[in-house]
């Protein structure tokens, strides 16, 4: 049922693009207008009389013109105009099919209602419930990704980062295929979609995931998560370069603010003076200098911005569970090759029950977070959704302080606030 809710939401979202309107039942003292919903022209007629022929009946105050529609007196009439008339995708309408004349009658425009209850014509209570539910999903998504990060960091004490990526990818692939079967979509996508784009999206996601896991294992949890969240700035730049989308002054300002936040969090020694390497780490001495995992987080955000652009190119022709499946498929193959070629994996037969639980928790938490993320984006508006998604930074600092005793440096807090408020602020302004 969890997956079917997401599938139903996406189907509604696609139908929302089709015109759906309620039509006025009283104009100029005429009787209620009846509509014919079988591909014929919709005309008002007088109560108690036969439907007027199209060549003799003058148009009423509201005339509906639809592509490929013709009048027919033998066509049955649907319920009166007080009922909702929804034009679905299979009815043959498009966004330019219906025009409402008599602009002086503003009441006709107020009666238009979108198929989903989130538009201007929907009841305020319905829009409010959907918005709250979407924001709750986004908050759960942030919590899920933060829980995943915690288990990744714990697993990094025993396993190489590439092996953690491999296990997480296998679990995601299995869950993705099962999810596709539950919602009734082809796991490998519809035949008309270019599979190379899906594979490229999976490859970009897999590479970004590998760099992100390396960051989580080799630097404090809150700092690594914060640097990774500069992704929206890179996405705006990539969309400008590859998709031709506008890159405004606001986008440029936000990008500069995000880069400044990265400098505050990573604290490179050529800007800041040298310090104790265990400062803010809970006494942990990491294997690599701080700038290496910091650059890894930046590169992860950069690569994932390319993945987001590929998703935009593919569009909504593909169910989000298909993206999840391809992500898991490509990531499984790529991480396996890297693991065998460059790492020394821990043999599965030597895993303890605790290690099994940690590795399974990484994959399950990530998959659940992705499902909540996609559901939240379908229900909530972009501005509030981005703000709730930034809770990931807050959760990361809290988990780092609570579980790993990582007391954040003052510059890390300032950088986190700068990055979080910038990304959320841009989303609100554009929303």
């Amino acid at each position: 049922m969890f997956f079917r809710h997401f599938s139903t939401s996406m189907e509604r979202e696609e139908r929302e693009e089709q015109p759906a309107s309620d039509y006025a039942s009283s104009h100029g003292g005429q009787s209620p207008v009846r509509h014919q919903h079988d591909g014929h022209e919709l005309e008002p007629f007088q109560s108690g009389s036969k439907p007027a022929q199209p060549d003799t009946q003058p148009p009423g105050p509201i005339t509906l013109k639809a592509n490929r529609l013709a009048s027919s007196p033998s066509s049955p009439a649907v319920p009166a105009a007080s009922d909702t008339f929804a034009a679905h995708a299979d009815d043959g309408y498009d966004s330019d099919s219906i025009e409402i004349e008599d602009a002086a009658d503003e009441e006709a425009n107020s009666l238009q209602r979108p198929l989903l209850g989130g538009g201007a014509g929907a009841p305020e209570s319905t829009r409010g419930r959907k918005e709250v539910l979407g924001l709750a999903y986004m908050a759960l998504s942030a919590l899920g990704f933060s829980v995943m990060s915690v288990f990744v960091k714990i697993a990094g004490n025993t396993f190489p980062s590439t092996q953690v990526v491999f296990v997480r990818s296998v679990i995601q692939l299995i869950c993705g295929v099962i999810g596709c079967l539950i919602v009734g979509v082809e796991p490998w996508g519809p035949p008309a979609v270019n599979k190379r784009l899906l594979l490229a999206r999976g490859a970009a996601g897999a590479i970004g995931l590998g760099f992100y896991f390396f960051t989580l294992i080799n630097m404090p949890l809150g700092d690594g998560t914060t640097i990774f969240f500069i992704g929206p700035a890179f996405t705006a730049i990539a969309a400008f370069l590859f998709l031709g989308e506008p890159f405004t002054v606001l986008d440029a300002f936000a990008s500069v603010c995000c880069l400044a936040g990265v400098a505050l969090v990573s604290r490179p020694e050529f800007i800041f003076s040298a310090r104790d390497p265990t400062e803010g780490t809970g006494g942990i001495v990491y294997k690599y200098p701080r700038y290496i995992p910091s650059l890894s987080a930046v590169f992860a955000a950069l690569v994932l911005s390319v993945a987001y652009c590929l998703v935009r190119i593919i569009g909504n022709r593909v169910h989000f569970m298909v993206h999840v499946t391809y992500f898991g498929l490509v990531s499984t193959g790529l991480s396996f090759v890297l693991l065998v070629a460059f790492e020394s994996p821990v043999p599965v037969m030597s895993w303890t029950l605790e290690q099994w639980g940690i590795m399974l928790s990484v994959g399950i938490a990530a998959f659940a977070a992705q499902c909540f993320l996609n559901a939240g984006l379908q229900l909530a508006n972009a501005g509030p959704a981005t703000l709730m998604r930034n809770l990931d930074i807050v959760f990361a600092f809290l988990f780092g302080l609570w579980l790993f005793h990582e007391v954040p440096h003052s510059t890390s807090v300032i950088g986190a606030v700068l990055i979080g408020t910038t990304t959320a602020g841009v989303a609100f302004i554009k929303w």
Side-chain angles (χ1 to χ4, degrees), residues 21-86:
S21 306
D22 292 336
Y23 300 108
S25 60
S26 59
H27 288 277
Q30 293 181 351
S31 299
V33 179
R34 294 185 181 273
H35 302 284
Q36 298 174 356
H37 188 197
D38 60 344
H40 299 281
E41 188 168 351
L42 311 179
E43 297 276 0
F45 63 89
Q46 300 292 334
S47 176
S49 63
K50 295 182 181 180
Q53 300 298 324
D55 57 343
T56 59
Q57 176 67 26
I62 295 181
T63 302
L64 301 176
K65 297 180 180 180
N67 295 342
R68 299 182 303 275
L69 302 185
S71 177
S72 171
S74 62
S75 302
V78 298
S82 56
D83 297 333
T84 301
F85 176 78

Side-chain angles (χ1 to χ4, degrees), residues 282-303:
I284 301 175
V285 178
Y286 288 105
K287 180 179 179 182
Y288 300 97
R290 187 179 179 87
Y291 74 89
I292 293 181
S294 298
L295 290 176
S296 178
V298 171
F299 194 73
L302 177 62
V303 174

Side-chain angles (χ1 to χ4, degrees), residues 61-331:
I62 295 181
T63 302
L64 301 176
K65 297 180 180 180
N67 295 342
R68 299 182 303 275
L69 302 185
S71 177
S72 171
S74 62
S75 302
V78 298
S82 56
D83 297 333
T84 301
F85 176 78
H88 296 271
D90 57 354
D91 290 332
Y93 297 91
D94 54 44
S95 58
D96 298 322
S97 295
I98 297 179
E99 299 176 359
I100 299 181
E101 296 184 345
D102 191 11
D105 191 353
E106 297 180 358
E107 183 178 319
N109 290 332
S110 67
L111 291 172
Q112 294 180 348
R113 179 176 300 166
L115 214 54
L116 277 176
E124 186 68 28
S125 59
T126 302
R127 297 202 308 271
R129 285 194 299 267
K130 287 181 178 293
E131 183 76 12
V132 170
L133 182 60
L135 295 179
Y137 283 156
M138 294 299 294
L140 289 173
S141 170
L143 179 61
F145 282 120
S146 297
V147 170
M148 178 206 72
S149 301
V150 168
F151 284 113
V152 168
K153 195 170 187 65
I154 296 174
N157 295 327
T158 306
F159 302 94
S161 60
T162 310
Q163 189 168 11
V164 181
V165 173
F166 174 74
V167 174
R168 192 260 201 196
S169 303
V170 170
I171 295 174
Q172 176 162 322
L173 175 59
I174 295 173
C175 293
V177 172
I178 294 174
C180 286
L181 296 177
I182 291 176
V183 300
V185 299
E186 179 63 40
W188 316 122
V193 176
N194 190 337
K195 301 301 188 295
R196 288 178 293 182
L197 289 176
L198 290 170
L199 290 172
R201 184 264 180 270
I207 295 172
L209 182 67
F211 280 103
Y212 182 48
F213 278 18
F214 176 85
T215 297
L216 294 176
I217 293 173
N218 292 286
M219 75 181 304
L221 190 63
D223 292 351
T225 302
T226 299
I227 297 175
F228 177 72
F229 262 71
I230 68 170
F234 287 138
T235 302
I237 297 173
F240 169 72
L241 294 176
F242 302 119
L243 303 180
E245 297 185 2
F247 187 75
T248 64
V249 175
L250 177 64
D251 294 324
F253 176 75
S255 301
V256 172
C257 289
C258 287
L259 292 178
V262 170
L264 290 170
V265 174
S266 60
R267 298 190 297 277
E269 293 186 3
F270 67 89
I271 299 178
F272 299 88
S273 59
R275 54 182 176 73
D276 184 358
T278 63
E279 181 183 356
T281 66
I284 301 175
V285 178
Y286 288 105
K287 180 179 179 182
Y288 300 97
R290 187 179 179 87
Y291 74 89
I292 293 181
S294 298
L295 290 176
S296 178
V298 171
F299 194 73
L302 177 62
V303 174
L304 285 175
S305 69
V306 176
Y308 297 149
C309 288
L310 288 171
V311 172
R312 294 285 299 276
I313 294 174
I314 296 170
N316 59 5
R317 296 172 294 168
V318 175
H319 194 280
F320 79 87
M321 288 302 304
V322 176
H323 287 289
V324 171
T325 303
Y326 270 88
F327 190 176
L329 174 66
V330 179
S331 184

